[in-house]
Amino acid sequence: MKKSVLLSLSIMALLFGCKTKTETKPNELTITLEPKSGTNTSGTAVFSEKGGYVTFTAVIAGLTPGVHAIHIHEKSDCSAADATSAGGHWNPTFKKHGKWGQAEYHKGDIGNFTADANGNGKITLTTNEWCIGCGDETKDVLGKAIIVHQGSDDFTTQPTGNAGGRVACTAIIR
């Protein structure tokens, strides 16, 4: 009798303990940007998912001061010296390129951020239009790449935003 009660209590503790950990710990992925196109650009990108929303934060150094674009591209391949191996912008819903949240835009059209006089910049975006590893081809960021561009996105030129060369790349993989 004591063994069955002890076993029942152990199983309950294990089940409730696991459930609590799953609910409170967000799904998070931290990846490192690598320099491309002969630059010294570096940094990290973090994707964190909780409650149906993904928060993306990129902290980047080694940029020229000014405005730069950052996008999610379609392939998790940063092997080319200029990062063209990452393909074009991630656009699973076949929309026109544009500014995030306004009219039409690619799921990969994150936007612009400013690098300060020391070449350091940061951008954060929170959305329910992405997921991390959910398997939904129209939302899942895994298997894509982050590209930081030399210039700013004009939000008009199709399909790229005329943002210039690719100065940093990282595959969005576990």
Side-chain angles (χ1 to χ4, degrees), residues 22 49 51 131 149 151 173:
T22 301
E49 185 172 13
C131 65
H149 290 274
I173 56 175

Side-chain angles (χ1 to χ4, degrees), residues 7-93:
L7 180 61
S8 295
L9 289 174
S10 296
I11 290 171
M12 286 174 48
L14 181 63
L15 289 174
F16 289 113
C18 290
K19 184 176 180 185
T20 302
K21 286 182 181 178
T22 301
E23 290 177 351
T24 60
K25 184 176 180 184
N27 186 6
E28 189 170 288
L29 177 63
T30 301
I31 47 183
T32 303
L33 290 162
E34 58 183 88
K36 292 295 174 182
S37 303
T39 71
N40 292 318
T41 308
S42 63
T44 58
V46 178
F47 289 89
S48 180
E49 185 172 13
K50 187 171 186 178
Y53 285 84
V54 173
T55 298
F56 166 78
T57 302
V59 178
I60 304 147
L63 295 163
T64 56
V67 181
H68 297 268
I70 187 167
H71 302 119
I72 296 178
H73 283 242
E74 59 191 352
K75 300 175 190 170
S76 62
D77 183 356
C78 295
S79 62
D82 62 357
T84 54
S85 51
H89 293 182
W90 177 45
N91 186 17
T93 55

Side-chain angles (χ1 to χ4, degrees), residues 1-9:
M1 177 101 171
K2 286 184 181 180
K3 284 184 181 181
S4 65
V5 171
L6 185 56
L7 180 61
S8 295
L9 289 174

Side-chain angles (χ1 to χ4, degrees), residues 11 36-37 77 83 97 100 104 107 116 122 124 143 158 168:
I11 290 171
K36 292 295 174 182
S37 303
D77 183 356
H97 174 71
W100 187 271
E104 287 192 50
K107 292 277 183 120
D116 64 19
K122 180 178 180 179
T124 300
Q158 297 300 320

